[in-house]
Amino acid sequence: MGVNTVPSISGQTRKLVTLTSGTSWTVPDGVTFVNVICVGGGGGGGGAATRAGATAGGTGGTTSFTGASSATGGTGGPAANISLGTLASPSGAAAGTAGTANTGMFGTGATSSANDGSTTIIYTLNARSGSPGQIISSTLSTTPGASISYSIGAGGTAGSAGTAGTAGAAGGSGRIDIEYWT
């Protein structure tokens, strides 16, 4: 958690706090309201398999701050599967790219390629990326010194590779931004 201070306006100083872990925040002295932005966890990217068995990415977790509207996590990306059988020869793959921590961004889906046992037909499968977590803002009345509970949504899990495939990538976790004046 970090606190950023901005030059004063009308005798008060604007402060910004970003919560990325933990479970409670204590309202500073003299603070009677806060603006809260909740960012849900991003969905994970789907896996891709040329011999079947790849799975979809997981849904990101919900970010909540007591009294504020919660931000739901993004959905996981669907998998891409084809069953070319044992004759298929994997010829290329690209794993997904993970969403950056505390951004609520999605993980990307994987790509997998194979030929059908001959060298003339190449099948390329592109799994889908997850979706980003919601971003919800709220203004809350607060009591100085009160402890407010919160939870940070986890990023969705990566879709698995299956047989002769490639895994997707995990989504980024969420965060909470708090703005107040002292």
Side-chain angles (χ1 to χ4, degrees), residues 9 14 23 36 42 57-58 88 95 109 127 163:
I9 299 172
R14 178 177 174 245
T23 59
V36 177
T163 304

Side-chain angles (χ1 to χ4, degrees), residues 63-180:
T63 296
S64 62
F65 189 87
T66 300
S69 296
S70 295
T72 60
T75 57
N81 283 293
I82 192 169
S83 189
L84 297 177
T86 58
L87 294 176
S89 193
S91 58
T97 301
T100 303
N102 305 120
T103 63
M105 290 307 295
F106 55 86
T108 62
T111 300
S112 190
S113 299
N115 64 39
D116 67 348
S118 69
T119 55
T120 57
I121 300 175
I122 301 289
Y123 296 90
T124 300
L125 304 170
N126 295 304
R128 302 280 254 198
S129 297
S131 62
Q134 277 188 321
I135 300 173
I136 305 287
S137 58
S138 303
T139 299
L140 308 173
S141 294
T142 58
T143 302
S147 179
I148 300 176
S149 298
Y150 66 86
S151 63
I152 305 295
T157 55
S160 67
T163 304
T166 309
S173 54
R175 72 172 187 279
I176 299 170
D177 295 324
I178 303 171
E179 175 186 52
Y180 62 93

